[in-house]
Amino acid sequence: KKSCKIMPLHRRNSTGQVEGELQYLEEITEAAELEDDHLHEITCSAPKDFSCLRGAQGEHIFDLSCTVKLICNNTACTQSRFMHRECFEVWQESVLNYLNKLKDGQKKTRNWSDKQKLQNLWKQGYNLVIEACGCQCGHGHL
């Protein structure tokens, strides 16, 4: 099993300290508290057509350091904003496969290496794969 201690990459200042780390942790804590108020428990926010790898019994999230934060573009969405890191990695791979199968995606990404596709997926490539990123709320995309 992978360790859950992997944290997102942050810019470091000249002394080696992570910039914005406190703000990032405050945002996670604040979001978790909001979700706790609304849902009473944080669950894996598996996208539409994807199921939590831990199944119905393991979908609850008890350690936010082992998650990826997702945001639905539907402002009225009531789904969890967190996904298990291992669920996210499997889902992200399926989104990359979707991108590779798209004719339009193949044209626009033909000069990208696999590493570049992964790096650009949620930026330049997102408009190509948005249909594979549906939220469980049914009214938005992650």
Side-chain angles (χ1 to χ4, degrees), residues 41-44 46 50-62 84 87:
E41 55 192 27
I42 301 172
T43 57
C44 186
F50 185 89
S51 298
C52 175
L53 298 176
R54 298 183 183 188
Q57 297 299 316
E59 69 181 7
H60 300 291
I61 295 174
F62 300 104
H84 296 113
C87 293

Side-chain angles (χ1 to χ4, degrees), residues 27-42 81-82:
E27 288 173 4
I28 286 179
T29 303
E30 181 179 305
E33 287 170 356
L34 284 173
E35 287 202 16
D36 196 38
D37 290 344
H38 291 104
L39 302 174
H40 304 292
E41 55 192 27
I42 301 172
R81 304 228 188 277
F82 297 94

Side-chain angles (χ1 to χ4, degrees), residues 7-138:
M7 295 298 289
L9 296 177
H10 292 283
R11 186 178 303 264
R12 294 186 180 271
N13 64 22
S14 61
T15 63
Q17 293 178 316
V18 176
E19 294 178 5
E21 182 174 26
L22 184 58
Q23 179 183 353
Y24 171 77
L25 293 174
E26 286 173 356
E27 288 173 4
I28 286 179
T29 303
E30 181 179 305
E33 287 170 356
L34 284 173
E35 287 202 16
D36 196 38
D37 290 344
H38 291 104
L39 302 174
H40 304 292
E41 55 192 27
I42 301 172
T43 57
C44 186
S45 181
K48 190 175 180 182
D49 302 324
F50 185 89
S51 298
C52 175
L53 298 176
R54 298 183 183 188
Q57 297 299 316
E59 69 181 7
H60 300 291
I61 295 174
F62 300 104
D63 182 1
L64 290 178
S65 70
C66 295
T67 65
V68 174
K69 184 177 179 182
L70 301 175
I71 299 172
C72 178
N73 62 6
N74 172 19
T75 56
C77 179
T78 60
Q79 298 296 308
S80 170
R81 304 228 188 277
F82 297 94
M83 188 174 188
H84 296 113
R85 183 174 305 281
E86 62 269 22
C87 293
F88 176 80
E89 289 171 357
V90 170
W91 174 63
Q92 180 174 248
E93 190 64 35
S94 72
V95 175
L96 282 169
N97 289 336
Y98 179 85
L99 176 65
N100 289 330
K101 291 177 183 175
L102 287 174
K103 288 183 182 179
D104 198 32
Q106 291 172 352
K107 288 178 188 176
K108 292 186 179 184
T109 64
R110 68 175 167 253
N111 294 326
W112 292 357
S113 68
D114 287 341
K115 183 178 180 180
Q116 289 171 318
K117 284 180 185 176
L118 183 60
Q119 290 172 337
N120 295 331
L121 180 63
W122 305 114
K123 297 173 187 156
Q124 297 102 319
Y126 182 71
N127 63 337
L128 299 170
V129 299
I130 192 168
E131 292 306 316
C133 301
C135 181
Q136 287 286 357
C137 74

